[in-house]
Amino acid sequence: MNQLIRYPVNDCYTCVQGEGVQTGVAMVLLRLHGCAVGCPWCDTKETWLMDPDHEVATLAEALGANPRYTHLTADEIVAHIRDHNAGPRWVLVTGGEPAQYDLAPLVAALQEAGYRVAIETSGTEVGHLQAGFDWVCVSPKLNMPGGKEVRLETLTQAHEIKHVVGRSQDITDLEELLAAAQPPATTQICLQPVSTSPKATELCLETVMARGWRLSIQTHKYIGVK
Ligand code: SF4
């Protein structure tokens, strides 16, 4: 196993996937630190900056919603998950923006330990493309303040494209992106109302019914889990 790569881990806990196609599946959520995309409505802004003052020596010190992180090898991550998160058979790698790192050693170690591995990425980085993930969800972040471009090749290799919608222009932007990328017909397209807004929910409902797409609701916000 490749012990050279040490991943910046911000958080790790057992949860139930609240969004998208895998809603309701018990998962270990592994949150890697660092993101330069800059979405204004981001739920995890504490993960954005790699501030050396917030690097800590152990994962126990990093756990929780805070800007602290620690560097771990793939094997150390697997050992922690085995010891502390015994139930789920899925691990969801998220962030931050996890695809900025070479994720192949991490995926291999988790799969070797018997886990299936999913990722959620903004589509602005490609570190996951050859990593062998069992499920890839791209939530394309377009025209964000960080100035990062969505890479079309991330969409053609996605099982799920989950787009956050606040206004009709967001749907137009997605349609243009899909026309440019031409993802396979098996890729599931989900629309997710931004911040569970009622107006955005109505727009998403109308659109998924018109296009034969899928609605993604942030169910974890309704049932009180993070
Ligand atoms: S890509 Fe994800 S972590 Fe990064 S700013 Fe956007 S929502 Fe937040």
Side-chain angles (χ1 to χ4, degrees):
M1 186 51 53
N2 187 336
Q3 293 294 339
L4 297 177
I5 298 179
R6 297 176 75 83
Y7 299 94
V9 179
N10 168 269
D11 206 359
C12 184
Y13 55 90
T14 293
C15 66
V16 170
Q17 171 61 283
E19 309 175 354
V21 174
Q22 293 188 308
T23 295
V25 177
M27 294 187 167
V28 179
L29 187 147
L30 176 67
R31 191 180 301 289
L32 300 186
H33 202 80
C35 183
V37 178
C39 309
W41 34 260
C42 177
D43 285 340
T44 55
K45 287 180 177 166
E46 69 277 8
T47 67
W48 288 8
L49 286 182
M50 297 294 294
D51 182 345
D53 287 345
H54 289 141
E55 180 165 7
V56 291
T58 65
L59 182 54
E61 296 168 83
L63 294 178
N66 62 65
R68 296 189 293 277
Y69 60 94
T70 191
H71 279 95
L72 299 178
T73 65
D75 287 350
E76 288 169 338
I77 291 170
V78 171
H80 175 86
I81 289 173
R82 269 186 168 156
D83 291 348
H84 296 88
N85 305 83
R89 301 322 299 160
W90 276 92
V91 175
L92 172 64
V93 183
T94 184
E97 175 41 78
Q100 66 185 295
Y101 307 109
D102 174 7
L103 297 170
L106 176 61
V107 173
L110 287 166
Q111 289 174 338
E112 204 172 295
Y115 295 99
R116 302 190 75 195
V117 193
I119 184 171
E120 175 148 340
T121 168
S122 65
T124 60
E125 304 282 353
V126 295
H128 63 296
L129 288 184
Q130 307 300 328
F133 277 92
D134 298 292
W135 189 262
V136 174
C137 175
V138 176
S139 185
K141 302 301 191 306
L142 297 162
N143 308 315
M144 290 300 158
K148 306 279 288 184
E149 295 285 327
V150 172
R151 304 276 297 262
L152 295 184
E153 65 267 43
T154 68
L155 299 172
T156 56
Q157 296 190 41
H159 300 92
E160 171 181 4
I161 295 172
K162 183 175 66 186
H163 195 51
V164 178
V165 171
R167 57 200 178 119
S168 56
Q169 182 62 45
D170 297 329
I171 293 167
T172 305
D173 291 345
L174 175 63
E175 287 176 324
E176 288 175 3
L177 193 64
L178 294 175
Q182 297 283 317
T186 51
T187 303
Q188 301 209 39
I189 312 295
C190 300
L191 296 187
Q192 181 168 297
V194 66
S195 304
T196 61
S197 141
K199 198 171 165 201
T201 302
E202 197 178 323
L203 176 60
C204 289
L205 268 174
E206 283 171 10
T207 309
V208 299
M209 287 192 282
R211 306 280 198 284
W213 291 347
R214 188 167 176 143
L215 184 68
S216 170
I217 295 291
Q218 293 179 295
T219 56
H220 50 287
K221 293 189 176 176
Y222 293 96
I223 60 177
V225 296
K226 66 176 180 174

